[in-house]
Amino acid sequence: MTRVTRRKILKGAAAAAAGVALPVRAYAAGEAVKVGILTPLTGAGGADGPRMLKAMQAVFDEVNKAGGVDGRMFQTVVEDDQTNPEAAVRAARKLIEVDKVPIIMGTWASSVTTAVLPVCWESKTFMMTVSGADSISLLPHQGYLVRTQPTSKLQSIAHASYIASTGKMKIGVIGIQAPFAQSTKEHLDATIKAAGGSVVSHVIYEKDKSTYRSEIDQVMKANPDNLYLNGYAPDTVVVLRDLYKAGIELPKFCQSYAVPQSTLDANPPEVSEGVVTGSPSADVDSTAYKLAADRLGMREIDAYVAQATDWASLAVLTFAKSKEATGSAFKDNVRKVSQGDGVKVYSAIEGLKAISEGKEINYEGASGPCDFNEIGDIAKCRFRFTQVRNGKLEFLKIV
Amino acid sequence: MEILQLIVNGIMSGTILAVPAIGLTVIFAVLRFTNFALASHMTIGAYAGLIANATFGLPVIPSLIVAFVGAGLVGWLSDEFVLKPLRASGFITTAIGSIALTIGLENIVRFIFGNQMRGYDLPIRRDWRFSGLHISPQQVESLVIAIVVMGLLFVFLSMTRTGKAMRAVADNPMLAAIKGINADRIAGIVSFVGMGLAGVGGMLIGLDTTIDPLVGFKTVLSIFAAAVVGGFGSIPGAVVGALVIGIGEELSLLVLSPAYRTAVGFIAILLVLTLRPRGLLGARAY
């Protein structure tokens, strides 16, 4: 009769543990790296989200076709954030808790990112976003955030500088209730004051209203000589109609995301005529920009598509650098591929080749240099201005 | 002058809210549950009107009839096949079922038409200006249309056999059944008329702005508030409630930031439920 000793039990347990662990390790080597894409396919951001999604998937497809990273492919798990913080948090929890993604990219509205970011840092999930509110990167995110979008401050300064260059000095600001509303007004005011003007009125309105006539009356009380419309597309289309009906012919400035072609198409051309839009510019002269446009089969791409291209490329390169698909590894290693003295690379494929050759790299993106400061913001950005003429956006300049 | 302008704006928006609010209250009066699917039927009506106007080139009035019939038919079908089987489980189950229904219908609209905003094929006219006030011709037209629709509904309810039967069921379902009124048939007609009115309301809102699949959802809280304030189940109450909410939301701008406009609806609901739970005009169906 065989005696069952404590030593035998321990040996058996160790063997069993090794037997279980080895297949896991073998499986992990070929396991796909899951990437959570949480972007607005519906709601106010529904005009931009699908394009960003396509750009991210194009990068991952290209990398997967080239064999992935050490045989590991990238698998995207897509959720619609509905441009709605509550829906976005639910979707983020699903991505993190069910799909076990280590990284989430693609949020658009600042209110959505503000809601999702705590869920990410609490679960050590890395996040990349296009949201611009100053307050986002000031949250205690512990490094689990980088964003390629310039802050509201950078954008407001650029926009106010443009307005000052037109000679208009009395800005009336009318915009949606959003995390960027107050800081945008303050930076507009500070910049235009330096040029001798000021923000003479500021009205924050609620989203989803069928008319903003009374809000327009309020902002016009201070007799501004130009208007800054700080909303999203669904409300801006209503504000533009109400301004036209009220016969207010002042120069109007909008964020470009508030005036996509769908906004212009929803109104007769005369309603939006002359509106100037400002947006962060893609780095149109860069190699990465040309590669991104070619990858998507387009002649030119906008700033959101460029930024989405950069998130996907940075995710691939950071994983290649760290060889670890965890949020902490993305957090600790993203700056090792996005900036520094390494050889400059302009696409994920090019960066993977350099990393495999043992080189340090510095990814220069389609949206810009992608150099992040300690709170995850980019330091500088070019800006693109367009103007509506006959229902179409026409290029003015890049500064 | 500012107060006068705000009151004018409030009357305009309140009158348009009144049309779907009547739809909501008529359904509640007869079927005794809050049909939250009103939101998606407003959207369906707005899109039915859009097809009539932008695709087939029909003028506003025929397009509004298409909006009424389109939303009414969907309302009747969805009641017959989705909500009617739930009614035996109680009004809470049916109301929750109507929330699920509205999300489903809204997504069908989204699937068919996409997310982008759309506008009716109508010229945008400048406001009329007089005595320091300005008023949109489109809003005045919508106001007149809303008043005519309410008038037609009043005639239907007070002078036709079917309308009287609806009021009878609303007042006393058991007595109506004893008198031989077919409650199932009345339920179908009420769903058709109530959701048809919601469709007209959706299109009236779209005429002055633009529409997207959330056009109904965006305004349903104000409509709900109007029905509660006026007295759930009372048609004149829905009109009074809509005007109170419309004017209240506008006048609140004198003391509140526009960012808190929706709070007016909630505060009105709270005040009415606390001080006069039956609503301003009680709960009679006519």
Side-chain angles (χ1 to χ4, degrees), chain A residues 203-277:
Chain A
V203 172
I204 297 176
Y205 57 72
E206 210 175 20
K207 66 173 186 171
D208 293 344
K209 290 291 170 192
S210 56
T211 177
Y212 294 105
R213 300 168 67 83
S214 300
E215 286 85 344
I216 288 170
D217 289 343
Q218 278 196 347
V219 86
M220 291 303 295
K221 272 197 267 181
N223 293 317
D225 62 10
N226 72 102
L227 291 172
Y228 187 92
L229 313 185
N230 197 25
Y232 290 136
D235 43 279
T236 301
V237 77
V238 179
V239 172
L240 285 171
R241 283 173 85 101
D242 285 345
L243 284 169
Y244 178 82
K245 288 181 197 167
I248 296 167
E249 302 282 6
L250 297 179
K252 294 175 270 293
F253 191 102
C254 297
Q255 291 274 8
S256 68
Y257 54 69
V259 194
Q261 192 58 46
S262 58
T263 297
L264 300 177
D265 292 343
N267 280 331
E270 62 271 21
V271 171
S272 313
E273 186 66 17
V275 170
V276 173
T277 77

Coordinates of all heavy atoms in Angstrom, one line a residue, chain A residues 203-277:
Chain A
V203 N -23.1 83.4 -21.8 CA -24.3 82.7 -21.4 C -24.0 81.2 -21.7 O -23.6 80.8 -22.7 CB -25.5 83.1 -22.3 CG1 -26.7 82.2 -22.0 CG2 -25.9 84.5 -22.0
I204 N -24.2 80.4 -20.6 CA -24.1 78.9 -20.7 C -25.5 78.3 -20.8 O -26.4 78.6 -19.9 CB -23.4 78.3 -19.5 CG1 -21.9 78.9 -19.5 CG2 -23.3 76.8 -19.6 CD1 -21.1 78.4 -18.2
Y205 N -25.8 77.6 -21.8 CA -27.1 77.0 -22.0 C -27.1 75.5 -21.8 O -26.1 74.9 -21.8 CB -27.7 77.4 -23.3 CG -26.9 76.9 -24.6 CD1 -26.8 75.6 -24.9 CD2 -26.3 77.9 -25.3 CE1 -26.1 75.2 -26.1 CE2 -25.5 77.5 -26.5 CZ -25.4 76.2 -26.8 OH -24.7 75.8 -27.9
E206 N -28.3 75.0 -21.7 CA -28.5 73.5 -21.5 C -28.6 72.8 -22.9 O -29.2 73.4 -23.8 CB -29.8 73.3 -20.7 CG -29.8 72.2 -19.9 CD -31.1 72.2 -19.1 OE1 -32.1 72.8 -19.5 OE2 -31.2 71.5 -18.0
K207 N -28.1 71.6 -22.9 CA -28.2 70.9 -24.2 C -29.7 70.5 -24.5 O -30.5 70.5 -23.6 CB -27.3 69.7 -24.2 CG -27.7 68.6 -23.2 CD -26.8 67.4 -23.4 CE -27.3 66.2 -22.5 NZ -26.7 65.0 -22.8
D208 N -29.9 70.0 -25.7 CA -31.2 69.4 -26.0 C -32.4 70.3 -25.9 O -33.5 69.8 -25.7 CB -31.5 68.1 -25.1 CG -30.5 67.0 -25.4 OD1 -29.8 67.1 -26.4 OD2 -30.4 66.1 -24.5
K209 N -32.2 71.6 -26.1 CA -33.4 72.4 -26.2 C -33.8 72.7 -27.7 O -32.9 72.7 -28.5 CB -33.1 73.8 -25.5 CG -33.0 73.6 -24.0 CD -34.3 73.3 -23.4 CE -34.2 72.8 -21.9 NZ -35.5 72.3 -21.4
S210 N -35.0 72.9 -27.9 CA -35.5 73.1 -29.3 C -35.3 74.5 -29.7 O -35.4 74.8 -30.9 CB -36.9 72.7 -29.4 OG -37.7 73.4 -28.5
T211 N -35.0 75.4 -28.8 CA -34.8 76.8 -29.2 C -33.9 77.5 -28.2 O -33.9 77.1 -27.0 CB -36.1 77.6 -29.4 OG1 -35.7 79.0 -29.7 CG2 -36.9 77.6 -28.1
Y212 N -33.1 78.4 -28.6 CA -32.2 79.2 -27.7 C -32.4 80.7 -27.9 O -31.5 81.5 -27.8 CB -30.7 78.8 -28.0 CG -30.4 77.4 -27.6 CD1 -30.2 76.4 -28.5 CD2 -30.3 77.0 -26.2 CE1 -30.0 75.1 -28.2 CE2 -30.1 75.7 -25.9 CZ -29.9 74.8 -26.8 OH -29.6 73.5 -26.5
R213 N -33.6 81.1 -28.2 CA -34.0 82.5 -28.5 C -33.7 83.4 -27.3 O -33.1 84.4 -27.4 CB -35.4 82.6 -28.9 CG -35.8 81.8 -30.2 CD -37.3 81.8 -30.4 NE -37.8 83.1 -30.7 CZ -37.9 83.6 -31.9 NH1 -37.4 82.9 -32.9 NH2 -38.4 84.8 -32.1
S214 N -34.1 82.9 -26.1 CA -33.9 83.8 -25.0 C -32.5 83.9 -24.6 O -32.0 84.9 -24.1 CB -34.8 83.2 -23.8 OG -36.1 83.2 -24.2
E215 N -31.7 82.8 -24.7 CA -30.3 82.8 -24.4 C -29.6 83.8 -25.4 O -28.7 84.5 -24.9 CB -29.7 81.4 -24.6 CG -30.0 80.5 -23.5 CD -31.4 79.8 -23.7 OE1 -32.2 80.2 -24.5 OE2 -31.6 78.8 -23.0
I216 N -30.0 83.8 -26.6 CA -29.4 84.8 -27.6 C -29.7 86.2 -27.2 O -28.9 87.1 -27.2 CB -29.9 84.4 -29.0 CG1 -29.2 83.1 -29.5 CG2 -29.6 85.6 -30.0 CD1 -29.8 82.6 -30.8
D217 N -31.0 86.4 -26.8 CA -31.3 87.8 -26.3 C -30.4 88.2 -25.2 O -30.0 89.4 -25.1 CB -32.8 87.8 -25.9 CG -33.8 87.7 -27.1 OD1 -33.3 87.9 -28.2 OD2 -35.0 87.4 -26.8
Q218 N -30.2 87.3 -24.3 CA -29.3 87.6 -23.1 C -27.9 88.0 -23.5 O -27.4 88.9 -23.0 CB -29.3 86.4 -22.2 CG -30.4 86.3 -21.2 CD -30.2 85.3 -20.1 OE1 -29.2 84.6 -20.1 NE2 -31.0 85.3 -19.1
V219 N -27.3 87.2 -24.4 CA -25.9 87.5 -24.8 C -25.8 88.7 -25.6 O -24.8 89.4 -25.6 CB -25.3 86.2 -25.5 CG1 -25.6 86.3 -27.0 CG2 -23.8 86.1 -25.3
M220 N -26.9 89.1 -26.3 CA -26.9 90.3 -27.1 C -27.1 91.6 -26.3 O -26.9 92.7 -26.9 CB -28.0 90.2 -28.2 CG -27.7 89.2 -29.3 SD -26.1 89.4 -30.2 CE -26.4 91.0 -31.0
K221 N -27.5 91.5 -25.1 CA -27.8 92.7 -24.3 C -26.5 93.5 -24.1 O -26.6 94.7 -24.0 CB -28.3 92.2 -22.9 CG -29.8 92.1 -22.8 CD -30.3 92.0 -21.4 CE -30.3 90.6 -20.8 NZ -30.8 90.5 -19.5
A222 N -25.3 92.9 -24.1 CA -24.1 93.7 -23.9 C -23.5 94.2 -25.2 O -22.4 94.7 -25.2 CB -23.1 92.8 -23.2
N223 N -24.3 94.1 -26.3 CA -23.8 94.6 -27.6 C -22.5 94.1 -28.0 O -21.5 94.9 -28.3 CB -23.8 96.1 -27.6 CG -25.2 96.7 -27.5 OD1 -26.1 96.2 -28.2 ND2 -25.4 97.7 -26.7
P224 N -22.2 92.8 -28.1 CA -21.0 92.3 -28.6 C -20.8 92.6 -30.1 O -21.8 92.9 -30.8 CB -21.1 90.8 -28.4 CG -22.5 90.5 -28.4 CD -23.2 91.7 -27.8
D225 N -19.5 92.7 -30.6 CA -19.4 92.9 -32.0 C -19.0 91.6 -32.7 O -18.8 91.6 -34.0 CB -18.3 94.0 -32.3 CG -17.0 93.7 -31.8 OD1 -16.7 92.5 -31.4 OD2 -16.1 94.6 -31.8
N226 N -18.9 90.5 -32.0 CA -18.8 89.2 -32.6 C -19.2 88.1 -31.6 O -19.3 88.4 -30.4 CB -17.3 88.9 -33.1 CG -16.4 88.7 -31.9 OD1 -16.0 87.6 -31.6 ND2 -16.0 89.8 -31.2
L227 N -19.5 86.9 -32.1 CA -20.1 85.9 -31.2 C -19.2 84.7 -31.3 O -18.7 84.2 -32.4 CB -21.5 85.5 -31.6 CG -22.6 86.6 -31.4 CD1 -23.9 86.1 -32.0 CD2 -22.7 86.8 -29.9
Y228 N -18.9 84.1 -30.1 CA -18.2 82.8 -30.0 C -19.2 81.7 -29.6 O -19.7 81.8 -28.5 CB -17.0 83.0 -29.0 CG -16.1 81.8 -29.0 CD1 -14.9 81.8 -29.7 CD2 -16.3 80.7 -28.1 CE1 -14.1 80.7 -29.7 CE2 -15.5 79.6 -28.0 CZ -14.3 79.6 -28.8 OH -13.5 78.6 -28.7
L229 N -19.5 80.8 -30.5 CA -20.5 79.8 -30.2 C -19.7 78.5 -29.7 O -19.0 77.8 -30.5 CB -21.3 79.4 -31.5 CG -21.8 80.6 -32.3 CD1 -22.7 80.1 -33.4 CD2 -22.6 81.6 -31.4
N230 N -19.8 78.3 -28.4 CA -19.0 77.2 -27.8 C -19.9 76.0 -27.5 O -20.0 75.6 -26.4 CB -18.4 77.8 -26.5 CG -17.3 77.0 -26.0 OD1 -16.6 76.3 -26.8 ND2 -17.0 77.1 -24.7
G231 N -20.5 75.4 -28.5 CA -21.3 74.3 -28.3 C -20.9 73.1 -29.1 O -19.8 73.1 -29.7
Y232 N -21.8 72.1 -29.1 CA -21.6 70.9 -30.0 C -22.6 71.0 -31.2 O -23.4 71.9 -31.2 CB -22.0 69.6 -29.2 CG -20.9 69.3 -28.1 CD1 -21.3 68.9 -26.8 CD2 -19.6 69.3 -28.4 CE1 -20.4 68.5 -25.9 CE2 -18.6 69.0 -27.4 CZ -19.1 68.6 -26.2 OH -18.2 68.2 -25.2
A233 N -22.4 70.1 -32.1 CA -23.2 70.2 -33.4 C -24.7 70.3 -33.2 O -25.4 71.2 -33.7 CB -22.8 69.1 -34.3
P234 N -25.3 69.4 -32.4 CA -26.8 69.5 -32.3 C -27.4 70.8 -31.8 O -28.5 71.2 -32.2 CB -27.2 68.3 -31.3 CG -26.0 67.4 -31.4 CD -24.8 68.3 -31.6
D235 N -26.7 71.4 -30.8 CA -27.2 72.7 -30.3 C -26.7 73.9 -31.2 O -27.5 74.8 -31.3 CB -26.8 72.9 -28.9 CG -25.3 72.5 -28.6 OD1 -25.1 71.3 -28.4 OD2 -24.5 73.4 -28.6
T236 N -25.5 73.8 -31.7 CA -25.1 74.9 -32.6 C -26.0 75.1 -33.8 O -26.2 76.2 -34.2 CB -23.6 74.6 -33.0 OG1 -22.8 74.5 -31.8 CG2 -23.1 75.8 -33.8
V237 N -26.5 74.0 -34.3 CA -27.3 74.1 -35.5 C -28.6 74.9 -35.1 O -29.1 75.7 -35.9 CB -27.7 72.7 -36.1 CG1 -28.7 72.0 -35.3 CG2 -28.2 72.8 -37.5
V238 N -29.1 74.7 -33.9 CA -30.3 75.5 -33.5 C -29.9 76.9 -33.2 O -30.6 77.8 -33.6 CB -30.9 74.8 -32.2 CG1 -32.1 75.6 -31.7 CG2 -31.2 73.4 -32.5
V239 N -28.7 77.1 -32.6 CA -28.3 78.5 -32.3 C -28.1 79.3 -33.6 O -28.6 80.4 -33.7 CB -27.0 78.5 -31.5 CG1 -26.4 79.9 -31.3 CG2 -27.2 77.9 -30.1
L240 N -27.5 78.6 -34.6 CA -27.3 79.3 -35.9 C -28.6 79.7 -36.5 O -28.8 80.8 -37.1 CB -26.5 78.4 -36.8 CG -25.0 78.3 -36.5 CD1 -24.3 77.2 -37.4 CD2 -24.3 79.7 -36.7
R241 N -29.6 78.8 -36.4 CA -30.9 79.1 -37.0 C -31.6 80.3 -36.3 O -32.1 81.2 -36.9 CB -31.9 77.9 -36.9 CG -31.6 76.8 -37.9 CD -32.5 75.6 -37.6 NE -33.8 75.7 -38.1 CZ -34.2 75.1 -39.2 NH1 -33.4 74.3 -39.9 NH2 -35.4 75.3 -39.6
D242 N -31.5 80.2 -34.9 CA -32.1 81.3 -34.1 C -31.5 82.6 -34.4 O -32.1 83.7 -34.4 CB -32.1 80.9 -32.7 CG -33.2 79.8 -32.3 OD1 -34.1 79.6 -33.2 OD2 -33.1 79.2 -31.2
L243 N -30.1 82.6 -34.5 CA -29.4 83.9 -34.8 C -29.9 84.4 -36.2 O -30.1 85.6 -36.3 CB -27.9 83.6 -34.8 CG -27.2 83.4 -33.5 CD1 -25.8 82.9 -33.7 CD2 -27.2 84.8 -32.7
Y244 N -30.0 83.5 -37.1 CA -30.4 84.0 -38.5 C -31.8 84.6 -38.4 O -32.1 85.7 -39.0 CB -30.4 82.8 -39.5 CG -30.8 83.2 -40.8 CD1 -30.0 83.8 -41.7 CD2 -32.1 82.9 -41.3 CE1 -30.4 84.2 -43.0 CE2 -32.6 83.3 -42.5 CZ -31.7 83.9 -43.4 OH -32.1 84.3 -44.6
K245 N -32.7 83.9 -37.8 CA -34.1 84.3 -37.7 C -34.2 85.7 -37.0 O -35.0 86.6 -37.3 CB -34.9 83.3 -36.9 CG -35.2 82.1 -37.6 CD -36.1 81.2 -36.7 CE -36.1 79.8 -37.2 NZ -36.7 78.9 -36.2
A246 N -33.3 85.9 -35.9 CA -33.3 87.1 -35.2 C -32.6 88.2 -36.0 O -32.6 89.4 -35.5 CB -32.7 86.9 -33.8
G247 N -32.1 87.9 -37.1 CA -31.5 88.9 -38.0 C -30.1 89.4 -37.4 O -29.7 90.5 -37.7
I248 N -29.4 88.6 -36.7 CA -28.1 89.0 -36.1 C -27.0 88.6 -37.0 O -26.8 87.4 -37.3 CB -28.0 88.3 -34.7 CG1 -29.0 88.8 -33.7 CG2 -26.6 88.6 -34.1 CD1 -29.2 88.1 -32.5
E249 N -26.4 89.6 -37.6 CA -25.4 89.4 -38.7 C -24.0 89.5 -38.2 O -23.1 89.6 -39.0 CB -25.7 90.4 -39.8 CG -27.1 90.4 -40.4 CD -27.3 89.2 -41.4 OE1 -26.4 88.4 -41.5 OE2 -28.3 89.1 -42.0
L250 N -23.7 89.4 -36.9 CA -22.4 89.5 -36.4 C -21.5 88.4 -36.9 O -21.9 87.3 -37.1 CB -22.4 89.5 -34.9 CG -23.2 90.6 -34.2 CD1 -23.1 90.4 -32.7 CD2 -22.6 92.0 -34.6
P251 N -20.1 88.6 -36.9 CA -19.2 87.5 -37.3 C -19.3 86.5 -36.2 O -19.5 86.8 -35.0 CB -17.8 88.2 -37.2 CG -18.1 89.7 -37.3 CD -19.4 89.9 -36.8
K252 N -19.3 85.2 -36.6 CA -19.5 84.1 -35.7 C -18.3 83.1 -35.8 O -17.8 82.8 -36.9 CB -20.8 83.4 -36.0 CG -22.0 84.2 -35.8 CD -23.3 83.5 -36.2 CE -23.7 83.7 -37.6 NZ -24.1 85.1 -38.0
F253 N -17.8 82.7 -34.6 CA -16.7 81.8 -34.5 C -17.2 80.5 -33.8 O -17.8 80.6 -32.7 CB -15.5 82.4 -33.8 CG -14.2 81.6 -33.9 CD1 -13.2 82.0 -34.8 CD2 -14.0 80.5 -33.2 CE1 -12.0 81.3 -34.9 CE2 -12.9 79.8 -33.3 CZ -11.9 80.2 -34.1
C254 N -16.8 79.3 -34.3 CA -17.2 78.1 -33.7 C -16.1 77.1 -33.6 O -15.1 77.2 -34.4 CB -18.3 77.3 -34.5 SG -19.8 78.2 -34.7
Q255 N -16.1 76.2 -32.7 CA -15.2 75.0 -32.8 C -15.6 74.2 -34.0 O -16.8 74.1 -34.3 CB -15.4 74.1 -31.5 CG -15.0 74.8 -30.2 CD -13.5 74.5 -30.0 OE1 -12.8 74.0 -30.9 NE2 -13.0 74.9 -28.8
S256 N -14.6 73.6 -34.7 CA -14.9 72.9 -35.9 C -15.8 71.7 -35.7 O -16.6 71.4 -36.5 CB -13.6 72.5 -36.6 OG -13.0 71.5 -35.8
Y257 N -15.7 71.1 -34.5 CA -16.6 69.9 -34.2 C -18.0 70.3 -34.1 O -18.9 69.5 -34.2 CB -16.1 69.1 -33.0 CG -16.0 69.9 -31.7 CD1 -17.1 70.4 -31.1 CD2 -14.7 70.2 -31.2 CE1 -16.9 71.1 -29.9 CE2 -14.6 70.9 -30.0 CZ -15.7 71.4 -29.4 OH -15.6 72.1 -28.2
A258 N -18.3 71.6 -33.9 CA -19.7 72.0 -33.8 C -20.3 72.3 -35.2 O -21.5 72.5 -35.3 CB -19.8 73.3 -33.0
V259 N -19.4 72.4 -36.2 CA -20.0 72.7 -37.6 C -19.4 71.6 -38.6 O -18.7 72.0 -39.5 CB -19.5 74.1 -38.0 CG1 -20.3 74.5 -39.2 CG2 -19.8 75.1 -36.9
P260 N -19.8 70.3 -38.3 CA -19.4 69.4 -39.4 C -20.3 69.6 -40.6 O -21.3 70.4 -40.5 CB -19.7 68.0 -38.7 CG -20.8 68.3 -37.7 CD -20.5 69.7 -37.3
Q261 N -20.1 68.9 -41.7 CA -20.9 69.1 -42.9 C -22.3 68.8 -42.6 O -23.2 69.5 -43.2 CB -20.3 68.2 -44.0 CG -20.9 68.6 -45.4 CD -20.6 70.0 -45.8 OE1 -19.5 70.5 -45.7 NE2 -21.7 70.7 -46.3
S262 N -22.6 67.9 -41.7 CA -24.0 67.6 -41.4 C -24.8 68.8 -40.8 O -26.0 68.9 -41.0 CB -24.1 66.4 -40.4 OG -23.4 66.6 -39.2
T263 N -24.1 69.6 -40.0 CA -24.7 70.8 -39.4 C -25.0 71.7 -40.6 O -26.1 72.3 -40.6 CB -23.7 71.5 -38.5 OG1 -23.5 70.7 -37.4 CG2 -24.3 72.8 -37.9
L264 N -24.1 71.9 -41.5 CA -24.3 72.8 -42.6 C -25.5 72.3 -43.5 O -26.3 73.1 -44.0 CB -23.0 72.9 -43.5 CG -21.8 73.5 -42.7 CD1 -20.6 73.5 -43.6 CD2 -22.1 74.9 -42.2
D265 N -25.5 71.0 -43.7 CA -26.5 70.4 -44.6 C -27.9 70.5 -43.9 O -28.9 70.5 -44.7 CB -26.2 68.9 -44.9 CG -25.0 68.8 -45.7 OD1 -24.6 69.8 -46.3 OD2 -24.4 67.7 -45.8
A266 N -28.0 70.6 -42.6 CA -29.3 70.6 -41.9 C -30.0 71.9 -42.0 O -31.1 72.1 -41.7 CB -29.1 70.2 -40.4
N267 N -29.2 73.0 -42.4 CA -29.7 74.3 -42.5 C -29.6 74.8 -43.9 O -28.7 74.4 -44.6 CB -29.0 75.3 -41.6 CG -29.4 75.2 -40.1 OD1 -30.6 74.9 -39.9 ND2 -28.5 75.5 -39.2
P268 N -30.4 75.7 -44.4 CA -30.2 76.4 -45.7 C -28.8 77.1 -45.6 O -28.4 77.6 -44.5 CB -31.3 77.4 -45.8 CG -32.4 76.9 -44.9 CD -31.7 76.2 -43.8
P269 N -28.1 77.2 -46.8 CA -26.8 77.8 -46.7 C -26.6 79.1 -46.1 O -25.7 79.4 -45.4 CB -26.4 77.8 -48.2 CG -27.3 77.0 -48.9 CD -28.6 76.8 -48.1
E270 N -27.7 80.0 -46.3 CA -27.6 81.4 -45.8 C -27.4 81.4 -44.3 O -26.9 82.4 -43.7 CB -28.7 82.2 -46.3 CG -30.1 81.8 -45.8 CD -30.8 80.8 -46.8 OE1 -30.0 80.1 -47.5 OE2 -32.0 80.7 -46.7
V271 N -27.9 80.4 -43.6 CA -27.9 80.4 -42.1 C -26.5 80.3 -41.6 O -26.2 81.0 -40.6 CB -28.7 79.2 -41.6 CG1 -28.6 79.0 -40.1 CG2 -30.2 79.4 -41.9
S272 N -25.6 79.6 -42.2 CA -24.3 79.4 -41.7 C -23.2 80.2 -42.5 O -22.0 80.1 -42.1 CB -23.9 77.9 -41.8 OG -24.9 77.1 -41.3
E273 N -23.7 81.0 -43.4 CA -22.7 81.7 -44.3 C -21.8 82.6 -43.4 O -22.2 83.3 -42.6 CB -23.5 82.6 -45.3 CG -22.6 83.3 -46.3 CD -21.9 82.3 -47.3 OE1 -22.4 81.1 -47.4 OE2 -21.0 82.7 -47.9
G274 N -20.5 82.4 -43.7 CA -19.5 83.3 -43.1 C -19.0 82.8 -41.7 O -18.0 83.4 -41.2
V275 N -19.5 81.7 -41.2 CA -19.1 81.2 -39.9 C -17.6 80.8 -40.0 O -17.3 80.1 -40.9 CB -20.0 80.1 -39.4 CG1 -19.3 79.4 -38.2 CG2 -21.3 80.6 -39.1
V276 N -16.8 81.2 -39.1 CA -15.4 80.8 -39.1 C -15.2 79.7 -38.0 O -15.8 79.7 -37.0 CB -14.4 81.9 -38.7 CG1 -13.0 81.4 -38.5 CG2 -14.5 83.0 -39.8
T277 N -14.5 78.6 -38.4 CA -14.3 77.5 -37.4 C -12.8 77.4 -37.2 O -12.0 77.6 -38.1 CB -14.8 76.2 -37.9 OG1 -13.9 75.6 -38.9 CG2 -16.2 76.3 -38.5

